[in-house]
Amino acid sequence: MSKQTKTTRRVLAEYTYEPASVEKGYTGQTLYVNVSEHTIAAKPVTDVMKDKFIGGRGFGLWLLWHGVKDETRWDDPENEIVVSSGPCGGTTQYPGAGKSLVVSISPLTNVVVDSNVGGHFGPLLKFAGWDALEIQGKAEKEVIVVIDGSTGRITIEEAPDVPVDTHLVGHWLINDMAESEEDRYYMSVISAGTGAEHTRMGCLNFSLYDRKRQAPRFKQAGRGGIGTVFRDKRIKAVVVKSDPVRGDSNAPADPARISRAGIRLHKEIHGYDNEQCKMRVTGTSYLVQIMNDYDLLPVHNFRFGSHPDSPKIKREVWEDYFTQGLPDGCWYGCTLACAHAVDGYTVRTGPYQGEVVIVDGPEYETIAGVGSNCGIFDPEPILEINFYCDTYGIDTISFGTGTAFVMECYEAGVLDREKTGGLELRFGNADAAIELLHQMGQDEGFGKIAGQGIRRMKEYFVREYGADADFLNDIGMEAKGLEYSEYVTKESLAQQGGYGLTNKGPQHDEAWLIFMDQVSNLLPTFDDKAEALHYFPMFRTWFGLCGFCKLPWNDISPPDNKYTDEPAKIPEHVQNYVDLFSGVTGREIAKEDLITMSEAVYNFQRVFNIRLGYGLRDHDDVPYRSQGPVTVEEYESRTERYDKQLQEVLGLDPAKMSTEEKVAALREYREGQYEKLKDAVYERRGWTKNAVPKVETLKRLGIDFPDVVAVVQKHL
Amino acid sequence: MIRVNNRDEIEWQDGLTVSDLLERCRYTFAHIIVKIDGEVILPEEYDTRVIPDGAQVHVIHLIAGG
């Protein structure tokens, strides 16, 4: 031990190294840590990795592919957690250039999940000498992993005193691990929490040190249960430390080109954010009222798209809660600064009752998920759930959507107080929702069942309670096993595909087309929808290859964007990304290359899912609640809209039909439309009708490696 | 009659401004592009710019989720 610490730490394995310098966004090596065998090793970054997989999610998929077997499941030791930022990650001249991507086999979906996250870990990992961190194995006892790029030392350690819940890990990091004030700036920790180990919906928290607040804060890699994998490996924390970050730490090929792009965007943000989305004031919470106004806000388990009480949780409410005037970026140099926080929040319930804490967020997805979707229109319980989800290491989206499903089951009579152990889980019962969350955190009561996620709850309710499987499949808002993020898609066929025709499951970071489709009517034909479901998932994938955040792409736009041919794509910002990638790596690209770079990785991920036994057409099915009204109540809440469709599209006379008949007729039509959408999208993506990438597609993208081709050939 | 986003038929009335139309369609999102018969209308004109009968109006919302 090089330092006297307040916690007991025993080194199990040690590795010393000379930190590689960063060159044009890459260090040229990745770090492999096996917590079963106590092995630590460096692996070279090959030309194939850089050319075809770029970094970030691409590196994660490539390393995971070679680390697991066809039959590997999420809790097998050979499953891995791979963290990588990407070549542009760590840039400080352009907003939103510090993201990390985490990849693993998901306990919710049994296929690969990728989850993007802010915080400082990914960039600091690179500046400590590593383009990616690959963790494999399952420790015998609880461990921490410490990567110290300043001293060139990596350790796997037993640390029995280190806490598990994330806000406590944050205290430990700055009190025990940091040797000086400046150390705090350049350290970051990955943690999960006790809830992550008792559920399948565990998230990872990535820290950043907030210099103004002089406290650690956390951003979440929320989706897909990677926090559950982390705790299953008996890892409490992974710490990285680097030398001080400078403006040229990422060693770009052409610093001036990057600076020019950065100055353009900084000026836009300064000049127009206040009249556009006000990200600097309230972050993504601005979406709550907008979604409500356009009937897209999930209410009562996605039954409805608006609610009269939604103003109680709208942007202006959060503006009062968020501390204003602080530079709330989650990486240096991000002037969009949307990572707001509520300071001085006094915890009301549970094991940390009475503690005064910082609540990171809430962001839109949390407000809509644990708020409106559960019928909770009160900011205080939303904050309480936000805090506990983060510190327990539970994804707020899966918790919110899962709890909304439970509440509908309760109100439909599938559940009762006896089955829930006394929790009256009706819509709007915030106290019951909070108690359910504590049960997940402490592995107790009904929380043990709910924490398994909607897909497994459905199976359990049918098996144990004799529930109607068809009804549960209709209202259970999950696809591939992952809970939906928080948008109502009934009236947007394109967004039904944006959630369903995905690799990891229904998460909006692949494609978000509701307004283009439903409101602006820019995608009227199947060809239009298919093109959008090709372009936008690929474009968004690219952010995750390079270390970028999506938000500065289109939550701010230049004033002359309105005069461009394709304003929805924000052409000037696309050019910025071309300049950034070329300026960092020295590899000159055109805007079209962004799409083909992503296509290679996206198709590789599809093949990976097929290799693991999923990834085919049937696995792209979605619950009917995402396509149309399941119940009479839902239909009759929007009768005018649905009757009009029956008349104008199907030529039926609603006046002569019962509501049940109308529900059935609309359903037959809409489900047919979704199947047609599948055909159109698969063809555009170069896949078979069974959603398998064709060999010619793999060849065109240069990923026709023998083991990849062998996977698809079984299905051709 | 005017046509909005190549789909919605809206009854025309004398003196109908862009702001009137946005209110009638309940388009509350501020970050939009409005075109009347292909001409971009600047936000400062929304209150005064009158939409002619038979116009094709596009209201493109620049919003793309979280």
Side-chain angles (χ1 to χ4, degrees):
Chain A
M1 300 283 293
S2 59
K3 178 195 166 206
Q4 185 67 41
T5 63
K6 297 169 191 170
T7 49
T8 304
R9 292 163 52 190
R10 187 169 76 87
V11 174
L12 302 174
E14 181 176 6
Y15 176 86
T16 57
Y17 69 107
E18 187 70 34
S21 58
V22 181
E23 187 176 348
K24 298 177 184 176
Y26 293 99
T27 67
Q29 59 183 4
T30 66
L31 174 62
Y32 173 81
V33 175
N34 190 309
V35 294
S36 295
E37 299 167 3
H38 297 167
T39 50
I40 305 170
K43 292 182 177 180
V45 171
T46 64
D47 289 343
V48 168
M49 289 171 70
K50 288 171 70 170
D51 290 347
K52 294 297 173 193
F53 294 88
I54 312 300
R57 174 172 158 189
F59 276 16
L61 290 166
W62 176 259
L63 293 168
L64 186 65
W65 174 279
H66 292 285
V68 301
K69 308 184 188 98
D70 296 358
E71 60 274 12
T72 297
R73 291 295 172 258
W74 73 273
D75 54 351
D76 289 327
E78 65 262 25
N79 188 19
E80 297 186 339
I81 297 169
V82 189
V83 181
S84 176
S85 180
C88 302
T91 299
T92 58
Q93 289 80 9
Y94 196 86
K99 283 273 191 172
S100 302
L101 262 288
V102 193
V103 169
S104 188
I105 295 176
S106 162
L108 287 167
T109 66
N110 293 319
V111 294
V112 181
V113 65
D114 58 277
S115 194
N116 81 76
V117 58
H120 290 181
F121 191 94
L124 295 186
L125 177 71
K126 186 198 289 187
F127 301 148
W130 308 102
D131 286 331
L133 167 64
E134 180 186 7
I135 302 174
Q136 196 172 42
K138 192 181 292 194
E140 190 177 332
K141 296 180 180 176
E142 298 276 1
V143 296
I144 64 171
V145 177
V146 181
I147 304 159
D148 189 336
S150 296
T151 60
R153 180 172 183 260
I154 300 165
T155 51
I156 303 171
E157 305 177 25
E158 277 184 12
D161 304 331
V162 173
V164 173
D165 284 345
T166 280
H167 79 292
L168 301 178
V169 174
H171 292 310
W172 164 76
L173 181 75
I174 63 170
N175 292 331
D176 284 21
M177 292 294 285
E179 296 181 12
S180 66
E181 178 72 17
E182 192 175 61
D183 266 0
R184 300 177 179 186
Y185 304 163
Y186 307 113
M187 293 177 74
S188 179
V189 61
I190 303 175
S191 58
T194 50
E197 66 196 56
H198 304 316
T199 67
R200 288 176 185 257
M201 53 181 75
C203 72
L204 292 177
N205 290 280
F206 279 47
S207 80
L208 60 109
Y209 187 72
D210 187 320
R211 299 188 190 197
K212 291 288 185 185
R213 292 178 171 87
Q214 296 191 316
R217 295 184 52 200
F218 298 92
K219 303 300 289 182
Q220 289 72 39
R223 306 309 331 262
I226 307 178
T228 300
V229 180
F230 190 82
R231 291 299 299 135
D232 185 66
K233 293 184 177 301
R234 298 191 185 92
I235 301 171
K236 288 182 173 177
V238 179
V239 177
V240 68
K241 178 183 175 188
S242 84
D243 286 337
V245 176
R246 304 183 312 269
D248 61 352
S249 287
N250 202 39
D254 186 348
R257 190 172 179 183
I258 294 163
S259 292
R260 286 194 296 273
I263 289 167
R264 286 196 295 270
L265 190 61
H266 290 311
K267 283 182 176 175
E268 275 174 40
I269 292 169
H270 181 265
Y272 306 108
D273 178 57
N274 263 349
E275 66 189 56
Q276 294 182 10
C277 297
K278 292 189 176 178
M279 298 292 281
R280 291 184 299 175
V281 179
T282 49
T284 56
S285 71
Y286 80 89
L287 288 164
V288 175
Q289 198 60 41
I290 300 300
M291 294 303 129
N292 186 75
D293 289 351
Y294 289 79
D295 209 27
L296 298 167
L297 181 73
V299 170
H300 294 180
N301 194 31
F302 295 88
R303 274 190 283 183
F304 315 114
S306 61
H307 193 281
D309 286 338
S310 65
K312 295 177 181 174
I313 54 172
K314 66 179 180 179
R315 176 222 304 260
E316 289 79 1
V317 173
W318 299 108
E319 184 172 348
D320 290 340
Y321 274 98
F322 294 147
T323 305
Q324 296 295 325
L326 295 180
D328 282 333
C330 69
W331 175 244
Y332 299 113
C334 185
T335 47
L336 201 58
C338 71
H340 300 296
V342 176
D343 292 290
Y345 177 76
T346 303
V347 181
R348 295 192 294 121
T349 67
Y352 305 117
Q353 184 177 18
E355 285 193 25
V356 178
V357 299
I358 299 170
V359 182
D360 282 281
E363 299 183 26
Y364 166 76
E365 299 291 336
T366 300
I367 301 166
V370 308
S372 61
N373 210 9
C374 294
I376 298 170
F377 296 92
D378 180 348
E380 291 287 329
I382 292 172
L383 284 173
E384 186 84 359
I385 292 171
N386 191 149
F387 166 73
Y388 268 112
C389 274
D390 290 352
T391 201
Y392 284 156
I394 291 176
D395 173 28
T396 57
I397 297 176
S398 280
F399 176 80
T401 299
T403 302
F405 168 74
V406 166
M407 288 174 163
E408 184 164 357
C409 286
Y410 193 97
E411 297 203 343
V414 174
L415 299 173
D416 54 30
R417 287 177 69 108
E418 185 181 344
K419 294 185 178 75
T420 63
L423 296 179
E424 194 172 358
L425 282 157
R426 295 185 181 280
F427 289 115
N429 191 341
D431 290 343
I434 292 168
E435 180 56 27
L436 182 66
L437 178 55
H438 290 313
Q439 291 183 353
M440 290 182 188
Q442 287 136 34
D443 199 24
E444 295 173 347
F446 187 68
K448 294 167 80 165
I449 299 166
Q452 298 306 302
I454 291 174
R455 178 161 288 194
R456 286 161 188 83
M457 274 195 281
K458 290 191 298 188
E459 295 165 357
Y460 186 87
F461 296 167
V462 171
R463 187 177 65 244
E464 299 296 326
Y465 306 147
D468 179 347
D470 290 341
F471 176 66
L472 296 190
N473 284 329
D474 282 350
I475 69 164
M477 288 296 284
E478 59 87 8
K480 299 181 173 68
L482 183 68
E483 286 72 25
Y484 270 65
S485 69
E486 309 301 339
Y487 301 97
V488 171
T489 58
K490 292 186 180 100
E491 306 312 313
S492 171
L493 179 60
Q495 186 55 33
Q496 291 164 30
Y499 272 142
L501 309 181
T502 52
N503 280 328
K504 66 172 168 284
Q507 168 68 357
H508 54 278
D509 68 351
E510 279 208 14
W512 198 91
L513 304 172
I514 298 177
F515 272 74
M516 281 186 76
D517 186 36
Q518 177 179 332
V519 180
S520 302
N521 194 31
L522 295 171
L523 311 171
T525 69
F526 278 104
D527 283 349
D528 294 329
K529 289 174 174 49
E531 183 58 33
L533 283 166
H534 172 70
Y535 177 86
F536 286 100
M538 300 312 150
F539 186 71
R540 286 174 176 246
T541 292
W542 190 81
F543 294 131
L545 306 183
C546 297
F548 288 120
C549 172
K550 167 263 164 194
L551 298 178
W553 162 49
N554 66 356
D555 279 291
I556 182 75
S557 64
D560 56 356
N561 184 60
K562 61 176 75 71
Y563 300 112
T564 62
D565 291 339
E566 296 183 290
K569 293 181 178 176
I570 322 287
E572 183 176 317
H573 290 181
V574 175
Q575 184 58 45
N576 283 351
Y577 291 116
V578 168
D579 288 340
L580 289 163
F581 185 87
S582 301
V584 168
T585 65
R587 175 182 168 186
E588 199 62 39
I589 62 167
K591 64 180 182 181
E592 294 78 12
D593 295 326
L594 273 59
I595 303 304
T596 50
M597 290 156 85
S598 296
E599 268 191 281
V601 174
Y602 194 89
N603 277 270
F604 184 80
Q605 188 165 348
R606 191 73 182 191
V607 176
F608 204 157
N609 285 354
I610 296 170
R611 178 187 171 199
L612 294 173
Y614 301 85
L616 303 177
R617 184 184 184 103
D618 287 349
H619 301 117
D620 286 343
D621 286 347
V622 293
Y624 187 62
R625 175 61 59 76
S626 73
Q627 298 176 299
V630 172
T631 64
V632 168
E633 180 195 23
E634 274 174 275
Y635 190 101
E636 292 181 346
S637 74
R638 306 289 187 274
T639 296
E640 185 182 356
R641 173 190 298 162
Y642 298 136
D643 278 2
K644 187 178 176 190
Q645 282 192 12
L646 292 180
Q647 273 181 310
E648 295 183 355
V649 180
L650 299 179
L652 299 172
D653 183 358
K656 296 178 180 173
M657 302 168 73
S658 69
T659 303
E660 287 81 357
E661 288 170 333
K662 291 193 284 189
V663 168
L666 193 66
R667 178 173 188 150
E668 183 180 358
Y669 169 71
R670 290 191 172 193
E671 289 183 334
Q673 293 291 100
Y674 186 70
E675 290 304 314
K676 289 178 184 173
L677 182 72
K678 280 182 178 176
D679 289 337
V681 172
Y682 295 161
E683 183 177 351
R684 177 62 187 88
R685 290 179 179 174
W687 298 355
T688 70
K689 284 187 176 297
N690 200 23
V692 180
K694 297 174 183 174
V695 173
E696 65 217 50
T697 302
L698 303 179
K699 284 183 177 172
R700 176 176 64 82
L701 299 171
I703 55 168
D704 53 329
F705 311 115
D707 48 350
V708 174
V709 172
V711 170
V712 301
Q713 278 182 330
K714 294 175 190 168
H715 300 275
L716 297 176
Chain B
M1 194 72 74
I2 59 174
R3 191 171 170 84
V4 178
N5 289 341
N6 280 329
R7 180 186 54 205
D8 304 327
E9 303 283 353
I10 305 290
E11 194 172 333
W12 179 81
Q13 66 185 55
D14 193 20
L16 181 77
T17 66
V18 171
S19 292
D20 294 335
L21 178 70
L22 296 177
E23 187 176 347
R24 197 188 293 184
C25 294
R26 300 187 62 195
Y27 286 164
T28 59
F29 184 55
H31 196 189
I32 56 176
I33 299 169
V34 177
K35 294 182 181 179
I36 300 176
D37 294 327
E39 179 193 356
V40 173
I41 310 299
L42 298 176
E44 50 267 34
E45 298 178 77
Y46 289 175
D47 285 342
T48 56
R49 185 61 177 261
V50 173
I51 303 172
D53 192 10
Q56 293 277 350
V57 181
H58 287 89
V59 183
I60 299 168
H61 290 64
L62 292 176
I63 184 170

